[in-house]
């Protein structure tokens, strides 16, 4: 059968002058000037854009028609690995235990509670399936019971646009109160006396800009705090001991906290320590003092300090856990007599327990690659914390750990209904030499029968931004590739904090290219060690990981059989120059400000995936996006695909999937989301086999 003809996007060249530089964008028309309204009502998108997106979706479906059965098979496999009537381990809080569970066949969870220590008396606080009825998209954000357990709050995003409504349910009557909170970011908290609810507002441009308060059951709204710096994010919560409410203001490198006494929740927030550029701190209250995680005083990998309750400013900070280079303190959790902290080194984690006398002991695992995650405690006056453990071959185990007796109780092991034997898989860790001598950890999962002779296809995943570490954890979905002979690898590249905060600092702004060269070094090392061969690797990354995909595709197109760019942030200069977009000012610390800084413009231009496309033999590409995505707007993958297709000198297909009813996080619902994964993995198999050559011979 004849090969489908791809859509040809019209070109409307627009010349942009900026800092004495000139660039021409022939696809700027794809951006809808009314994009804020489109986020809330996708049907408002302009007609020519909608028609082009529909043509792109139809073309992708026609090109990949031969994979439809494979997609269905992998979807059923993935679904079969999910325990359909699953439930979380209950978390005790006062007289109740709170948990989520699923009924068989349900897409969404039920949020429940039952009397503490019992298995009967369940109350369903929220059935998210009923909430989602009649909606193309529905995702529950934050949920919280009031401290007196009389109210239950929850937030819902009904478009995928991350514009939430917050609802409060009276648990005595079972009624959802009529005073719904609109245009919120989704996070909220009740005051310690349960009389007030606080939340973060989302303005018309999608930015968090204000903290509001009102009576918990409804009433007059009061402005608590307004942040005038558009480059900062806002958040709020209660301290572990319920002594204070905290307002947090932060971007990737600077933060500030403001306190509201729990016994005076209507008072004005008071600054703890004024923000200073490149200084971060986060805090919690430990009954009689503050405990603070910070990078102050050149503590690059962070330290933990303490301060008096009534004098928490930096002048009174005293080291509790001093800074140790190479030991990155990721976070901590407080209970009445213990501080539990999570540390990271060489892309693995450990948990350390410290009591009030300063005595410490640790929880650690001796495996080459794994994920150990501190979940903390659901109440303050306890000795028990919760943590989870898994590896790339081992399903997740949930443990309750008594910090005093050092006894641990296994509460749950992730069930894989279709069957899973960890012994059938091999987990390995390589260290790939980067161009400057740094060693980039690479975590590997393969079936024991998959040879290491260069014959197996490889999927190499990467992210590498914002200091986000990529855990070498368990995913049942990956098994659909690995069981088909793929080797699955994660590159723990700079830009993340996998090897400490310096691992992040050495790949941002004017060192950002380290992220891309590290990923390429990982691929080259896999080839050198005979795990892979050039042209038989599929690279995958999402969001800022999509920028990574765009950059390495331009830099080394011959390495890849295919590229999966999920909601890819690829139009770097245009996006970081558009201050109307919600994430632009907060992202300048990561990438640079091309509006005011010529050096930043030039450096960003030198690797910007969209701007650096040129005539070369690009691999097969699958780009995905969501029409109501506020983080990476739909026109970024749309423009990227159009320009790639116009410049590639190969016959490899360049495909686009835009979800017309979802946003940044693809489909809602635990099963619908699997269809998106099945498409990605079917594309990976199709790409390494050059399926289009067989389909359209």
């Amino acid at each position: 059968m004849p090969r489908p003809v791809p859509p040809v996007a019209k070109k409307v060249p627009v010349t942009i002058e900026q800092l004495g530089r000139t660039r021409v964008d022939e696809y700027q028309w794809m951006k809808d000037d009314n994009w804020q309204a489109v986020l809330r009502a996708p049907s408002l998108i302009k007609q020519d854009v909608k028609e082009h997106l529909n043509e792109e979706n139809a073309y992708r479906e026609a090109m990949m028609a031969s994979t439809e059965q494979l997609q269905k098979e992998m979807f059923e496999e993935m679904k079969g690995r999910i325990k359909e009537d699953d439930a979380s381990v209950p978390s005790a809080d006062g007289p109740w235990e709170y948990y989520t569970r699923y009924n068989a066949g349900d897409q969404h969870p039920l949020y429940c509670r039952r009397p503490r220590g019992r298995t009967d008396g369940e109350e369903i606080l929220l059935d998210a399936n009923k909430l989602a009825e009649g909606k193309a998209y529905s995702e529950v954000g934050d949920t919280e019971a009031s401290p007196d357990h009389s109210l239950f709050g929850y937030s819902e995003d009904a478009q995928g646009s991350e514009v939430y409504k917050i609802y409060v349910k009276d648990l005595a009557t079972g009624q959802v109160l009529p005073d719904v909170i609109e245009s919120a970011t989704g996070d909220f908290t009740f005051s310690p006396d349960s009389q007030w609810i606080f939340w973060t507002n989302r303005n018309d441009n999608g930015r968090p800009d204000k903290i509001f308060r009102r009576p918990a059951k409804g009433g007059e709204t009061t402005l608590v705090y307004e942040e005038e710096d558009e480059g900062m994010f806002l958040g709020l919560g209660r301290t572990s001991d319920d002594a204070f409410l905290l307002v947090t203001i932060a971007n990737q490198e600077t933060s500030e906290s403001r306190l509201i006494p729990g016994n005076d929740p209507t008072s004005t927030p008071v600054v703890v320590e004024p923000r200073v550029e490149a200084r971060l701190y986060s805090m919690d209250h430990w009954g009689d003092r503050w405990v603070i995680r910070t990078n102050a005083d050149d503590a690059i990998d962070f330290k933990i300090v303490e301060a008096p309750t009534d004098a928490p400013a930096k002048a009174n900070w005293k080291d509790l856990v001093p800074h140790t280079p190479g030991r990155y303190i990721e976070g901590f959790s407080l209970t009445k007599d213990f501080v539990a902290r999570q540390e990271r080194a060489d892309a693995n984690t450990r948990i350390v327990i410290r009591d009030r006398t300063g005595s410490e002991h640790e929880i650690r695992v001796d495996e080459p690659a794994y994920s150990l995650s501190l979940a903390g405690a659901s109440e303050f006056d306890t000795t028990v914390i919760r943590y989870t453990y898994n590896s790339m071959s081992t399903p997740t185990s949930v443990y309750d750990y008594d910090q005093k007796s050092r006894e641990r109780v296994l509460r749950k092991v992730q069930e894989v209904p279709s069957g899973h034997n960890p012994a059938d898989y091999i987990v390995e860790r390589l260290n790939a030499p980067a161009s400057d001598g740094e060693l980039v950890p690479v975590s590997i999962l393969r079936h024991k029968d998959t040879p290491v002779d260069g014959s197996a296809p490889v999927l190499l995943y990467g992210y590498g931004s914002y200091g986000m570490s990529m855990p070498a954890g368990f995913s049942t979905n990956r098994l659909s590739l690995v069981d088909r002979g793929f080797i699955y690898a994660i590159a723990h590249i700079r830009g993340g904090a996998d090897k400490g905060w310096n691992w992040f600092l050495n790949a941002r702004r004017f060192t950002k290219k380290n992220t891309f060269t590290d990923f390429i070094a990982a691929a080259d090392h896999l080839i050198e060690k005979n795990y892979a061969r050039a042209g038989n690797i599929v690279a995958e990354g999402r969001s800022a990981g999509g920028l990574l995909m765009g950059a390495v595709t331009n830099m080394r197109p011959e390495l890849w059989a295919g590229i999966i760019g999920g909601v890819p942030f690829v139009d770097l200069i245009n996006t970081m120059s558009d201050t109307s977009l919600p994430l632009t000012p907060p992202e300048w610390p990561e990438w640079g400000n091309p509006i005011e800084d010529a050096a930043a413009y030039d450096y960003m231009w030198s690797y910007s995936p969209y701007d650096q496309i040129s005539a070369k033999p690009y691999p097969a590409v699958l780009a995905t996006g969501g029409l109501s995505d506020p983080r990476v707007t739909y026109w970024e993958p749309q423009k990227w695909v159009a320009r790639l297709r116009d410049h590639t000198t190969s016959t490899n297909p360049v495909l686009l999937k835009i979800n017309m009813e979802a946003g940044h996080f693809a489909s809602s619902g635990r099963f619908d989301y699997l269809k998106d994964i099945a498409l990605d993995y079917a594309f990976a198999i199709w790409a390494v086999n050059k399926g289009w050559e067989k389909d359209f011979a």
Side-chain angles (χ1 to χ4, degrees), residues 68-304:
E68 288 181 3
Q69 183 59 38
L70 176 61
Q71 291 180 52
K72 290 177 182 177
E73 289 175 5
M74 288 197 290
F75 169 75
E76 292 298 334
E77 291 170 6
M78 294 175 191
K79 186 178 179 183
R81 298 188 193 106
I82 294 175
K83 181 173 168 50
E84 292 204 23
D85 56 348
D86 203 5
S88 67
V89 179
S91 296
D93 186 6
W96 297 94
E97 294 177 349
Y98 291 85
Y99 56 98
T100 59
R101 67 174 179 84
Y102 288 89
N103 289 322
D106 281 355
Q107 290 267 21
H108 302 276
L110 283 73
Y111 296 82
C112 309
R113 72 178 182 182
R114 67 192 183 202
R116 187 169 185 153
R118 288 166 50 183
T119 57
D120 62 340
E122 177 182 85
E123 293 183 27
I124 297 176
L125 308 176
L126 170 65
D127 183 345
N129 298 282
K130 292 182 178 178
L131 185 67
E133 285 180 358
K135 299 171 184 173
Y137 185 98
S138 176
E139 190 71 28
V140 174
D142 200 6
T143 63
E144 183 180 314
S146 60
D148 67 0
H149 305 281
S150 68
L151 302 172
F152 181 75
Y154 59 93
S155 60
E156 183 204 17
D157 172 10
Q159 298 90 21
S161 62
E162 300 178 53
V163 178
Y164 287 83
K165 293 183 179 180
I166 299 172
Y167 302 85
V168 178
K169 183 177 182 179
D170 187 329
L171 297 180
T173 66
Q175 299 300 308
V176 176
L177 300 173
D179 198 355
V180 176
I181 296 168
E182 306 273 354
S183 297
T185 62
D187 68 321
F188 65 91
T189 194
F190 292 100
S191 59
D193 63 5
S194 302
Q195 298 304 302
W196 303 90
I197 185 171
F198 293 72
W199 71 94
T200 307
N201 181 68
R202 187 182 291 278
N203 67 16
D204 290 340
N205 280 345
R207 292 196 188 101
D209 63 344
K210 299 180 181 71
I211 302 291
F212 285 118
R213 176 192 73 237
R214 69 147 214 230
K217 292 188 176 182
E220 183 178 352
T221 293
T222 301
L223 177 65
V224 175
Y225 175 76
E226 181 173 6
E227 176 57 44
E228 296 185 358
D229 186 342
E230 293 183 337
M232 306 299 279
F233 295 104
L234 285 177
L236 72 161
R238 298 195 309 273
T239 57
S240 293
D241 61 2
D242 273 352
F244 293 88
L245 290 133
L246 281 171
V247 174
T248 57
I249 307 114
N251 61 21
Q252 286 93 0
E253 65 175 6
T254 303
S255 67
E256 178 180 286
S257 293
R258 298 183 178 226
L259 307 178
I260 302 172
N263 59 9
D264 189 12
T266 61
S267 62
T268 301
V270 176
V271 177
V272 173
E273 179 66 25
R275 68 193 75 174
V276 172
E277 186 175 348
R279 184 177 69 197
L280 293 164
Y281 69 93
S282 57
M283 58 198 305
D284 198 358
H285 197 251
W286 201 21
D288 62 351
R289 73 193 80 169
W290 289 100
V291 175
I292 303 166
R293 171 184 172 269
T294 183
N295 64 350
D297 305 317
D298 297 321
I300 291 173
D301 284 316
F302 288 77
K303 62 180 179 177
I304 297 177

Side-chain angles (χ1 to χ4, degrees), residues 320-638:
L320 187 68
V321 181
H323 175 244
T324 299
R327 179 194 65 183
Y328 172 46
I329 299 176
E330 293 187 301
F332 66 88
S333 176
L334 300 181
T335 49
K336 183 178 178 182
D337 293 315
F338 297 92
V339 179
R341 70 180 186 268
Q342 182 167 308
E343 302 178 347
R344 179 176 292 272
D346 293 326
N348 280 328
T349 52
R350 68 174 189 162
I351 295 170
V352 181
I353 311 299
R354 180 187 181 95
D355 66 19
R356 286 187 177 270
T357 70
S359 176
E360 292 190 351
H361 68 277
E362 68 179 71
I363 304 169
R364 67 185 307 170
V365 178
D366 292 320
E367 281 200 62
Y370 62 88
S371 176
L372 188 66
S373 181
L374 176 63
S378 54
E379 52 189 355
F380 185 67
D381 191 3
T382 184
T383 60
V384 178
I385 59 167
R386 182 164 293 165
Y387 71 90
T388 62
Y389 165 78
N390 60 46
S391 75
M392 293 178 77
S393 64
T394 307
T396 301
S397 294
V398 180
Y399 292 93
D400 279 351
Y401 181 79
D402 192 307
Q403 300 167 99
K404 185 175 182 180
S405 68
R406 305 191 185 185
E407 296 178 358
R408 72 175 185 176
V409 176
L410 177 61
R411 296 297 304 275
K412 180 182 178 180
V413 177
Q414 179 183 355
E415 294 184 46
V416 183
S418 61
H420 174 71
N421 182 5
D424 288 339
Y425 302 89
I426 295 173
V427 177
E428 297 165 301
R429 171 63 63 80
L430 301 180
N431 284 292
S435 56
D436 60 359
E438 290 283 1
L439 294 178
V440 180
V442 183
S443 298
I444 294 171
L445 174 70
R446 60 184 174 92
H447 195 278
K448 65 180 182 181
D449 296 333
T450 300
V452 181
D453 61 4
S455 64
V458 172
L459 191 143
L460 180 61
Y461 183 87
Y463 186 75
S465 289
Y466 311 122
M468 292 180 62
S469 302
M470 291 294 105
F474 184 70
S475 166
T476 57
N477 297 333
R478 294 173 190 157
L479 301 179
S480 287
L481 274 183
V482 174
D483 287 350
R484 286 176 169 82
F486 264 75
I487 294 173
Y488 190 98
I490 300 171
H492 303 278
I493 52 183
R494 278 176 284 188
D498 304 70
K499 292 182 70 173
W501 200 242
N502 247 341
W503 203 241
F504 159 60
L505 295 178
N506 287 332
R508 64 201 290 263
R509 287 205 291 263
F510 292 105
T511 56
K512 187 62 199 172
K513 290 181 185 178
N514 284 335
T515 299
F516 319 135
T517 55
D518 280 3
F519 191 83
I520 290 170
D524 284 337
H525 194 63
L526 288 168
I527 294 168
E528 179 187 343
K529 295 299 182 181
N530 228 18
Y531 284 85
R533 58 179 172 80
N536 209 31
I537 304 171
V538 176
E540 180 183 13
R542 287 182 55 82
S543 197
L547 182 143
L548 167 68
M549 294 299 100
V552 301
T553 304
N554 287 333
M555 294 166 71
R556 292 284 299 278
E558 79 284 356
L559 280 178
W560 323 112
I563 296 288
I564 302 172
V567 288
F569 170 40
V570 286
D571 194 8
L572 181 66
I573 297 291
N574 282 327
T575 295
M576 285 296 100
S577 301
D578 187 346
T579 58
S580 73
L581 295 172
L583 295 185
T584 292
E587 299 266 303
W588 287 333
E590 178 80 10
W591 314 103
N593 182 348
I595 301 174
E596 299 177 352
D597 186 342
Y601 183 107
D602 291 341
Y603 187 77
M604 294 163 71
W605 173 266
S606 72
Y607 68 81
S608 174
Y610 179 67
D611 297 298
Q612 291 304 315
I613 292 171
S614 61
K616 60 185 63 174
Y618 284 101
V621 173
L622 173 64
T624 67
L627 192 58
S628 53
D629 187 349
R631 299 183 182 225
V632 179
T633 47
Y634 69 84
W635 59 82
E636 293 215 28
Q638 185 185 15

